[in-house]
Amino acid sequence: MAAIAVFLKFFRFDYNNYKIFKAVCWHTIDKLPLYDPYPAEYNDVNHYGVFFSAIIAPFAILPDFLGVFLWVLANGMFLYIVIRKLPVGFREIMIILFIVLHDMYGASEMQQFNISIAAILTGAFLLIEKKKEEWATLLIVIGFLTKIYGIIGLAFFFFAKNKVRFVWTGLLWLGLGFVLPMLYSSPEYVIPQYQSWWQNLIDKNNENLASLFQNISILGFLRTTGLNNGSDKLIILSALFLFMLPYLRFAQYQYQAFRFQFLASVCLFVVLFSTGSEASSYVIASLGTGIWFVFSPNPYKWWKIALLTLAIIASISGTDIVPRYIKYTYIVPYSLRAIPAFLIWITLILEMCFLDYRAINEKKILSQATYKSIGAIHNK
């Protein structure tokens, strides 16, 4: 699906985002300002950190037709591999892939790095589960230095078995990532670019508040419907309070289902409460939705199926399947895409605050043991 998406876009010469990404590499080498407009090269401006030049470099050195194809394919493959590593059965893997598929396709069309951000967050969590904190922090630092989103991976700190290793390796990777672009540029160039990046993100946040195709979040919904005409700070602080409430349930940390529900919460939260959320950001939220569903207790209850159905419908709400009048009169202007994901997130938080995951964990262990017994009998 990723290959089909980029194939169709490339032959319409519609790969502007890749041109921006590629230019980050060459502009860093040539010591040009990363956040100035370059209308002769591409539309819009870059919003990625200078470290991103190292990520895109292997693709930037190739001809465009090959570079953009391999870039999109690499992002899609990264996400696919991470999903396959989730500790669930084949059916659950297929459910998650199905839930993520359309948003992955849309992000692939736009050559977006959000696909890899989803994989980075999930991959970091899986590495913490395997007590490989040193590699988890590497992924978190990569996500942070490229698109800021990765910093929310620090939320997994409390599940790390070796917290000291988590801290010192995180600081080590951060230092190495900070200086890496200096090897093919210079400190005098790189340090001001980090400063410019911060200002660029502030300016971008202000632009997003008035953008029709950005801020597709709960923040955008509340603003466009007139429910919030002031600052977003109170809403974000309230959301952070809800997000952090499950941390208080220390006794539940030992249960796998509880921990993976926290991963789902992270994936949903980072999209729902960011003014930078756009249609292609929802590949992260969709992955969170899929993880929530397969790790949820009693996922096949009618109201959970209803929530999942709403989320899938929302994922196609920006396509031509939806009449243009409805799309541009209601769905896009009022950020309605965010509503199903928000309802799922609230459900998730309530479950994490009140359910006893011990019973759920024991039930799953019994189910797995029964399945293995049946398999053994079949083999005999």
Side-chain angles (χ1 to χ4, degrees):
M1 292 299 290
I4 291 169
V6 69
F7 180 83
L8 295 175
K9 281 285 185 175
F10 182 82
F11 284 98
R12 293 202 297 266
F13 301 99
D14 187 5
Y15 55 100
N16 184 71
N17 283 332
Y18 177 75
K19 292 177 182 178
I20 296 174
F21 299 160
K22 181 180 74 168
V24 173
C25 175
W26 298 118
H27 290 172
T28 300
I29 292 172
D30 295 335
K31 301 180 183 179
L32 296 174
L34 289 181
Y35 307 102
D36 288 356
Y38 292 90
E41 297 182 46
Y42 49 75
N43 300 319
D44 205 349
V45 294
N46 169 50
H47 301 296
Y48 284 64
V50 62
F51 175 81
F52 185 67
S53 59
I55 300 295
I56 196 66
F59 308 93
I61 62 176
L62 301 172
D64 277 0
F65 76 91
L66 186 58
V68 67
F69 182 81
L70 292 178
W71 166 252
V72 173
L73 212 62
N75 279 270
M77 185 60 72
F78 185 18
L79 181 58
Y80 174 77
I81 290 171
V82 167
I83 291 174
R84 288 299 303 269
K85 295 292 183 181
L86 290 169
V88 290
F90 179 77
R91 180 179 65 179
E92 287 76 17
I93 292 292
M94 293 302 295
I95 289 172
I96 295 173
L97 288 172
F98 175 77
I99 293 169
V100 170
L101 181 61
H102 185 264
D103 285 309
M104 187 284 302
Y105 181 85
S108 295
E109 277 195 314
M110 302 303 293
Q111 310 99 53
Q112 284 285 3
F113 189 62
N114 287 318
I115 300 170
S116 282
I117 292 293
I120 282 171
L121 292 174
T122 306
F125 185 86
L126 289 172
L127 288 166
I128 288 172
E129 286 284 294
K130 295 180 179 180
K131 303 179 183 179
K132 297 180 179 179
E133 291 87 358
E134 65 277 15
W135 299 115
T137 51
L138 173 60
L139 288 182
I140 292 169
V141 166
I142 289 172
F144 171 62
L145 290 179
T146 52
K147 206 178 177 183
I148 293 294
Y149 277 3
I151 197 171
I152 200 171
L154 295 177
F156 306 142
F157 169 78
F158 295 97
F159 300 127
K161 300 298 182 185
N162 193 327
K163 293 179 174 55
V164 173
R165 186 193 298 161
F166 186 99
V167 172
W168 78 258
T169 58
L171 293 174
L172 175 64
W173 291 126
L174 184 61
L176 292 174
F178 184 83
V179 302
L180 178 61
M182 299 178 188
L183 299 178
Y184 46 87
S185 185
S186 71
E188 295 76 19
Y189 168 79
V190 169
I191 293 173
Q193 292 308 306
Y194 279 114
Q195 296 170 338
S196 298
W197 185 35
W198 182 251
Q199 185 59 49
N200 171 270
L201 293 175
I202 293 172
D203 295 341
K204 179 62 174 171
N205 178 69
N206 294 331
E207 291 174 12
N208 290 342
L209 297 178
S211 174
L212 188 64
F213 297 102
Q214 298 281 344
N215 202 9
I216 306 176
S217 63
I218 285 300
L219 303 178
F221 169 78
L222 294 175
R223 188 171 291 275
T224 53
T225 54
L227 296 174
N228 175 38
N229 294 317
S231 172
D232 292 332
K233 290 180 181 177
L234 181 59
I235 298 166
I236 293 173
L237 287 174
S238 300
L240 276 171
F241 174 76
L242 291 174
F243 176 80
M244 295 176 71
L245 274 179
Y247 277 127
L248 299 176
R249 303 195 70 198
F250 303 110
Q252 300 295 319
Y253 285 18
Q254 61 185 301
Y255 304 121
Q256 185 186 66
F258 178 83
R259 298 193 301 271
F260 274 89
Q261 293 291 67
F262 209 99
L263 169 61
S265 177
V266 164
C267 291
L268 288 160
F269 180 88
V270 75
V271 176
L272 287 171
F273 299 99
S274 168
T275 61
S277 295
E278 54 190 343
S280 61
S281 303
Y282 273 82
V283 64
I284 306 171
S286 291
L287 180 56
T289 297
I291 292 170
W292 160 75
F293 186 77
V294 301
F295 282 96
S296 176
N298 301 314
Y300 299 106
K301 284 188 174 181
W302 70 266
W303 56 274
K304 290 190 177 182
I305 295 291
L307 283 175
L308 180 60
T309 303
L310 283 175
I312 293 171
I313 292 172
S315 75
I316 62 172
S317 63
T319 69
D320 292 337
I321 294 174
V322 179
R324 186 178 181 85
Y325 174 79
I326 294 175
K327 182 164 56 177
Y328 291 108
T329 305
Y330 301 105
I331 295 173
V332 174
Y334 294 105
S335 300
L336 296 183
R337 171 72 206 268
I339 299 302
F342 178 70
L343 294 175
I344 288 171
W345 183 70
I346 291 294
T347 300
L348 176 58
I349 293 296
L350 290 172
E351 288 182 342
M352 293 179 73
C353 286
F354 295 107
L355 290 182
D356 181 5
Y357 284 83
R358 177 177 57 183
I360 300 163
N361 192 66
E362 289 173 351
K363 182 179 177 182
K364 288 192 173 182
I365 290 172
L366 179 61
S367 176
Q368 290 172 1
T370 304
Y371 179 80
K372 289 178 181 178
S373 298
I374 293 171
I377 292 169
H378 179 267
N379 289 334
K380 287 180 180 179

